[in-house]
Amino acid sequence: DTEVTQTPKHLVMGMTNKKSLKCEQHMGHRAMYWYKQKAKKPPELMFVYSYEKLSINESVPSRFSPECPNSSLLNLHLHALQPEDSALYLCASSQEAGGGREQYFGPGTRLTVT
Amino acid sequence: GQNIDQPTEMTATEGAIVQINCTYQTSGFNGLFWYQQHAGEAPTFLSYNVLDGLEEKGRFSSFLSRSKGYSYLLLKELQMKDSASYLCAGGFMNTGFQKLVFGTGTRLLVSP
């Protein structure tokens, strides 16, 4: 099973709302990632978790708050977003966060901020 | 920097062979990944090269030259379903953790 699941598939939120994106994997992977992908652009790394600890934060604004409750789950809490934050948010996982590990992506959450 | 460069768009005919090139800056480089992404879907892993040479997986092969900072993805016996974006991604180490830096993607259009 190489499946990463994400919920919701689509999300529309206002700039004053608080919402959360969820990601789950049951492959026993110990590294999980959040990426942001704008239309016709490549995915851009936001956060890396390794063994449930935040290991890389790519200078992401604090209105995005990641959380890794356990090794299978990864959340992204959203608050006071801007319209330019509208994008596809992809979660990925890999066996570990070291070199040479391929990442498996979930289907993404398409976020629209109004 | 960790720039990854690849052509924006390519076209090919069903049954043909196409080669998608990718160049990258070598500083901190740890390996080269290729992903396929259909419109509106998540990227799916195709191949990984860490050593120089050719890796073959069915109709898809990937090549790496570390000294030249160059890779290519070779797709044989093209099928219509191969129409997608192909993302070249460099693995770069950052404080002991691997970051994937993606190129802009090459949109491949396969015609009958």
Side-chain angles (χ1 to χ4, degrees):
Chain A
D1 180 11
T2 57
E3 190 179 26
V4 177
T5 59
Q6 291 187 243
T7 55
K9 288 190 176 178
H10 300 275
L11 178 64
V12 179
M13 61 185 289
M15 289 189 283
T16 58
N17 292 157
K18 282 186 183 181
K19 295 286 185 183
S20 297
L21 310 184
K22 295 185 184 302
C23 173
E24 192 166 3
Q25 57 87 15
H26 294 288
M27 295 179 277
H29 288 176
R30 303 314 302 265
M32 296 186 78
Y33 311 80
W34 280 115
Y35 287 85
K36 174 182 177 179
Q37 186 174 25
K38 303 280 275 185
K40 298 189 178 180
K41 297 287 187 182
E44 292 182 352
L45 181 66
M46 300 174 72
F47 302 104
V48 178
Y49 271 84
S50 177
Y51 288 85
E52 300 152 53
K53 290 186 180 176
L54 182 62
S55 303
I56 296 179
N57 176 342
E58 290 286 277
S59 302
V60 178
S62 59
R63 57 186 184 268
F64 295 92
S65 176
E67 178 198 19
C68 190
N70 60 56
S71 60
S72 300
L73 292 173
L74 185 66
N75 299 322
L76 187 62
H77 303 299
L78 314 173
H79 174 54
L81 294 193
Q82 304 296 311
E84 59 264 27
D85 296 322
S86 298
L88 180 68
Y89 287 85
L90 293 164
C91 173
S93 72
S94 63
Q95 199 165 11
E96 291 191 349
R101 304 292 188 177
E102 66 266 27
Q103 295 178 18
Y104 295 91
F105 285 82
T109 294
R110 190 160 296 282
L111 173 69
T112 303
V113 181
T114 60
Chain B
Q2 297 160 340
N3 290 340
I4 310 287
D5 292 313
Q6 53 183 129
T8 304
E9 197 167 286
M10 298 181 73
T11 57
T13 308
E14 201 173 10
I17 298 173
V18 72
Q19 178 175 312
I20 302 174
N21 296 325
C22 171
T23 58
Y24 62 89
Q25 295 184 324
T26 57
S27 175
F29 174 78
N30 193 58
L32 199 292
F33 297 83
W34 284 95
Y35 282 83
Q36 179 192 61
Q37 187 174 27
H38 285 97
E41 297 183 11
T44 54
F45 170 73
L46 290 178
S47 68
Y48 171 63
N49 294 69
V50 63
L51 300 176
D52 285 359
L54 189 68
E55 295 278 343
E56 298 189 71
K57 266 191 188 182
R59 293 190 299 115
F60 292 6
S61 303
S62 56
F63 172 83
L64 179 68
S65 169
R66 295 181 71 106
S67 60
K68 295 182 180 177
Y70 168 68
S71 173
Y72 67 73
L73 180 70
L74 192 71
L75 293 79
K76 302 176 189 174
E77 301 169 17
L78 281 174
Q79 302 175 9
M80 298 295 290
K81 67 177 182 180
D82 297 329
S83 292
S85 283
Y86 291 85
L87 300 166
C88 172
F92 295 91
M93 298 307 291
N94 179 331
T95 62
F97 302 102
Q98 176 177 258
K99 278 180 54 173
L100 285 191
V101 178
F102 285 88
T104 52
T106 298
R107 188 163 159 260
L108 174 66
L109 183 62
V110 180
S111 57

